[in-house]
Amino acid sequence: MTQKKISINADRLWTDLMALAAIGADANGGVTRIALSDADQDAHEFLMARMRDAGLRVDVDDAFNVIGTLPAKKPESGQKALIGSHLDTVPNGGKFDGALGVLCALECARTIRENNIELPWDLEVISFCDEEGGHHAGTVGSRAMTGALDPEEILRPGPDGRPSFAENLERAGGDPTRIHNAARPASDIAFFLEVHIEQGRNLESQRADIGVVTAIAGIQRTEVIVAGEAAHAGTTPMKLRKDALVAAAPLFTLLPKWASSRNSEMTATIGRLQLSPGAVNVVPGECRFTVELRSRNAGDMQALQNLLDRHAARQSNWRLQPLYRKDPVRLSTPLQDRVTLAALREGLAARNLPSGAGHDAASFAPHVPTGMIFVPCRGGVSHHPDEAIEQRHAAAGCQVLLRTLMILSGEGGRLDPA
Ligand code: HGY
Ligand code: MN
Ligand code: MN
């Protein structure tokens, strides 16, 4: 007997996406919802209201992850199926990074409930707190849930002396001393699946609708502090200066050369730089900047870190402050196979590809079967107001997530961990 075709409601999904994009909207078309900010909290209030409308049980855990649960009618395995992503954004970011994954998960739960489909697990729709690193390292909420968050990290002051995660959590009504309670045993979790925009141009250039993600690049971040001597810009002769920016400058061209000579997928980025005292008529006394390395190969990332460490060691006035390291991860092959099958059954063109961007899925991959479903984004543009996707691709990603859940459910819901 052929299974009745169950379809998500593409218009409802798009309406939610556009309504959410209005929360934290910038004057120039971007979105700014820094983790735990008022805009981020408004976005989560919107999500919780939509979850309640959909008949989900709504909880907020001690890491401020928002969880909407559709209880299983007959929970055979006692495990939970987790789907979701994040609602926080980078400053002046796009409408779809993170938001697509959360709202696709919500739309799937709604569709499953409306069609009285019986799942072997409780289905949890999750929006993870602070994926983007609004304070320091990203994926705070998902690392708290997988027990991988160092409690010290949330106490560290934010960049430019901004409040720490703990202070902002408290301001938002949370209790940072309880964040470790968000940790859950891996044995409770059947799998984690995340829909996300590709944030690259591979799918678009191959005219594919769906990306079956095979791996997620590792990320290593270091803050470099170069000390000089602040001095009057008009009366301090060039040969007597200790200009911190000039001392740092050689690294700005060395770093890209190191990365490119390592391998073609490796990236190295100096994304944030601050001069002190930062006055136009004062020679910089301090140059503070971040170095971010990414690679799917842990050895390559370490090799570049060693080059940076040795370069700093040869200078007399450099200090390195490690900020964050997450190893590259491979995603579950059995889940990749189900996503590929789901795309096939939906008549969609799917391609396997790795992710250069970090995701909450990277927090789960070492512990539970984890999968990601990518959709193309226009020109690969992301972390930018021009981030854009086609409505049909939002619907395709959501439909493949639903179909993957149906396939897994039809197999009784247990997935080998390979
Ligand atoms: O930085 C990243 O790769 C992700 O978008 N947070
Ligand atoms: Mn993201
Ligand atoms: Mn992002």
Side-chain angles (χ1 to χ4, degrees):
M1 182 184 73
T2 49
Q3 245 183 2
K4 181 176 143 246
K5 170 122 166 67
I6 310 282
S7 295
I8 57 105
N9 182 327
D11 291 340
R12 182 168 60 183
L13 170 64
W14 194 257
T15 304
D16 278 351
L17 277 165
M18 293 303 107
L20 183 59
I23 302 175
D26 290 316
N28 63 348
V31 178
T32 299
R33 292 196 295 259
I34 307 302
L36 298 173
S37 65
D38 292 347
D40 183 46
Q41 293 181 61
D42 291 347
H44 284 94
E45 287 303 328
F46 166 85
L47 174 67
M48 289 191 279
R50 302 298 283 148
M51 285 176 163
R52 288 187 196 100
D53 294 347
L56 305 186
R57 190 189 71 235
V58 178
D59 300 289
V60 180
D61 75 9
D62 285 311
F64 257 40
N65 297 313
V66 170
I67 303 163
T69 301
L70 177 67
K73 289 202 169 48
K74 43 186 180 81
E76 286 143 20
S77 68
Q79 290 187 311
K80 320 288 183 186
L82 274 49
I83 54 179
S85 191
H86 62 94
L87 294 186
D88 67 303
T89 71
V90 295
N92 203 220
K95 300 181 180 65
F96 303 101
D97 174 358
L100 178 68
V102 174
L103 294 177
C104 282
L106 173 64
E107 178 52 33
C108 282
R110 266 191 303 234
T111 304
I112 287 166
R113 186 168 183 272
E114 285 161 355
N115 288 275
N116 285 314
I117 295 169
E118 296 195 355
L119 296 179
W121 344 264
D122 287 359
L123 183 64
E124 294 190 6
V125 173
I126 306 180
S127 172
F128 294 102
C129 187
D130 197 355
E131 187 279 340
E132 290 289 4
H135 296 84
H136 267 303
T139 62
V140 176
S142 51
R143 284 187 290 136
M145 189 175 279
T146 53
L149 180 68
D150 168 5
E152 287 306 306
E153 179 188 317
I154 66 169
L155 302 172
R156 204 183 301 152
D160 314 328
R162 290 202 300 266
S164 65
F165 179 94
E167 287 164 326
N168 278 335
L169 181 65
E170 208 153 13
R171 184 182 76 89
D175 175 356
T177 63
R178 297 172 50 83
I179 197 165
H180 58 281
N181 293 333
R184 298 168 62 173
S187 55
D188 270 7
I189 299 169
F191 56 83
F192 172 63
L193 269 172
E194 180 174 6
V195 175
H196 205 284
I197 57 172
E198 181 199 338
Q199 299 176 301
R201 57 190 76 191
N202 296 296
L203 294 178
E204 187 182 57
S205 62
Q206 297 173 47
R207 297 188 192 292
D209 306 304
I210 294 293
V212 183
V213 185
T214 55
I216 299 174
I219 302 179
Q220 177 138 12
R221 291 183 189 142
T222 305
E223 180 150 67
V224 182
I225 302 100
V226 177
E229 223 165 77
H232 193 297
T235 57
T236 311
M238 297 309 282
K239 61 181 186 325
L240 296 182
R241 292 178 175 205
K242 289 184 183 159
D243 184 327
L245 180 66
V246 170
L251 183 70
F252 301 161
T253 46
L254 274 174
L255 196 67
K257 282 192 192 123
W258 291 343
S260 316
S261 60
R262 196 75 208 167
N263 74 46
S264 61
E265 57 88 23
M266 175 128 216
T267 61
T269 311
I270 294 176
R272 194 175 63 221
L273 183 142
Q274 187 187 12
L275 295 176
S276 305
V280 291
N281 55 357
V282 181
V283 175
E286 181 186 86
C287 176
R288 184 182 283 260
F289 57 93
T290 53
V291 171
E292 183 196 83
L293 310 174
R294 297 198 190 201
S295 177
R296 293 200 306 277
N297 178 305
D300 286 339
M301 209 157 68
Q302 192 53 56
L304 246 73
Q305 189 64 39
N306 295 342
L307 286 172
L308 174 62
D309 294 348
R310 283 203 292 273
H311 181 85
R314 285 196 292 272
Q315 324 297 326
S316 55
N317 51 9
W318 284 42
R319 186 163 56 86
L320 300 186
Q321 163 76 41
L323 289 181
Y324 174 65
R325 176 190 170 93
K326 189 180 271 263
D327 281 330
V329 292
R330 292 200 50 72
L331 297 188
S332 153
T333 307
L335 271 180
Q336 291 177 49
D337 295 344
R338 273 61 173 196
V339 171
T340 303
L341 178 60
L344 188 69
R345 286 190 179 160
E346 293 295 336
L348 295 163
R351 293 286 179 284
N352 284 10
L353 77 169
S355 173
H359 299 287
D360 288 308
S363 303
F364 286 91
H367 311 287
V368 301
T370 301
M372 288 196 79
I373 300 165
F374 272 176
V375 301
C377 55
R378 213 163 293 153
V381 171
S382 183
H383 283 189
H384 188 281
D386 293 346
E387 185 181 277
I389 63 172
E390 293 184 36
Q391 186 170 349
R392 68 187 176 93
H393 284 142
C398 191
Q399 186 64 26
V400 167
L401 175 62
L402 177 70
R403 175 70 77 159
T404 305
L405 291 171
M406 296 296 98
I407 291 168
L408 291 164
S409 173
E411 295 168 350
R414 296 199 79 73
L415 197 66
D416 48 308

